[in-house]
């Protein structure tokens, strides 16, 4: 009997040891998967459905800084599964990415706004027998982050925001801001508005929102380059976020994943309640987008004037830009395999966990078909 009790005790301790080891394995290194920004992990590469095919070598890419956190997560998963591929995405901004692509120095580019006709024409020199196309891959909210101690839930609308970023409202206790925030203790602090210093698709989308939702207060034509008066420039979404974080009285715009440690504006749209930027509120707005591109191009038109409950109006869709035909033979297999992964159910599935918005199902299905046709 004593021997039996000792054996049962040994088995129990052994089971506990195995359980503990499994728990440590689950909580430890994320070498087989990508750690999400909120502490969650994407699907481990070891159990992934990623198809490497003949992908190998190095892919150089550049463009949108707004999507860089998503690209970094995707690259980690993809290269863990396809260890013969290296992907270097610089994230220098949408303008830089489009220029690099049309000059033939990168395999693909990222842009938060669709290609202009002159860029498409220029791309025909690089895409032998074809041209550059827009492939929607990731959506997101453009957060308006602010640094105003004591004000936890700031509400602003399109006219007020347009005036702030055009230097027509310069103090935080301006009557227009007070009217939207009757219970807030607004200081007389000077507003320090930060914008992107380089050409940016995030700038393009923010100003499209101003033009659509408050044209009487935004008289600029819009585009990737900042045109309004005053304010201070910073490079990339990360640069704007850093300036807002360290400057009292600051406000700036950035892709949501860069605003995790900052207070963000709730936007009054005319819906039942002001809307906070989030993956869900961005997805709800993007779901109303329509495809306006022709042929293989899948550029979208967003509704910046939405008044739907829970839909955040200041959104962006980042496109991956590639040749429909005439991609370089040396990089086509890796480019195609990577784009196939990021637009797959698995690739899109990690986005909400890192503060991005998946592309709506009907649209992403068209993107997947187009990726398979790249040549």
């Amino acid at each position: 009997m004593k021997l039996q009790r000792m054996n049962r005790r040994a088995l129990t301790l052994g089971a506990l040891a195995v359980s503990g080891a499994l728990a440590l394995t689950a909580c430890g290194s994320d070498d087989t998967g990508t750690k999400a920004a909120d502490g969650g992990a994407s699907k481990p590469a070891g159990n992934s459905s990623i198809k490497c095919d003949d992908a190998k070598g190095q892919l150089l890419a550049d463009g949108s800084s707004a999507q860089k956190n998503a690209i970094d997560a995707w690259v980690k998963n993809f290269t863990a599964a396809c260890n013969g591929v290296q992907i270097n995405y610089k994230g220098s901004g949408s303008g830089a990415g489009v220029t690099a692509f049309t000059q033939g120095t990168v395999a693909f580019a990222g842009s938060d706004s669709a290609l202009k006709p002159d860029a498409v024409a220029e791309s025909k020199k690089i895409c032998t027998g074809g041209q550059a196309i827009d492939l929607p891959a990731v959506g997101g909210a453009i957060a308006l982050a602010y640094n105003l101690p004591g004000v936890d839930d700031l509400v602003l609308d399109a006219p007020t925001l347009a005036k702030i970023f055009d230097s027509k409202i310069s103090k935080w206790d301006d009557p227009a801001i007070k009217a939207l925030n009757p219970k807030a203790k607004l200081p007389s602090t000077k507003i320090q508005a930060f914008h992107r210093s380089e050409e940016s698709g995030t700038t393009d989308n923010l100003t499209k929102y101003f033009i659509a939702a408050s044209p009487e207060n935004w008289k600029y034509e819009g585009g990737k380059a900042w045109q309004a008066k005053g304010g201070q420039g910073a490079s990339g979404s990360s640069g704007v976020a850093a300036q807002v974080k360290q400057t009292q009285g600051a406000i700036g715009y950035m892709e949501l994943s860069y605003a995790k440690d900052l207070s963000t504006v709730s936007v009054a749209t005319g819906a039942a309640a002001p809307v906070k930027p989030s993956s869900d509120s961005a997805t709800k707005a993007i779901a109303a987008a329509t495809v306006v591109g022709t042929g293989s191009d899948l550029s979208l038109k967003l509704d910046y004037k939405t008044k739907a409950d829970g839909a955040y109006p200041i959104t962006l869709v980042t496109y991956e830009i590639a040749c429909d035909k005439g991609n370089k033979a040396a990089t086509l297999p890796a480019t195609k395999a990577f784009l196939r992964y990021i637009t797959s159910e698995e690739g899109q599935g990690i986005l909400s966990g890192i503060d991005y918005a998946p592309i709506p199902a009907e649209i992403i299905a068209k993107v997947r078909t187009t990726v398979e046709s790249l040549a």
Side-chain angles (χ1 to χ4, degrees), residues 130-145:
Q131 65 180 45
I133 55 173
D134 300 290
L135 300 171
V138 55
I142 300 174
L144 294 150

Side-chain angles (χ1 to χ4, degrees), residues 299-332:
S299 56
L300 303 175
K301 182 179 180 180
L302 300 173
D303 180 9
Y304 298 100
K305 295 194 293 182
T306 180
K307 294 182 180 180
D309 288 343
Y312 186 75
I314 318 174
T315 56
L316 58 78
V317 168
T318 289
Y319 303 94
E320 308 311 334
I321 296 168
C323 297
D324 58 356
K325 298 177 183 177
N327 289 280
K328 294 178 181 178
T331 57
L332 177 59

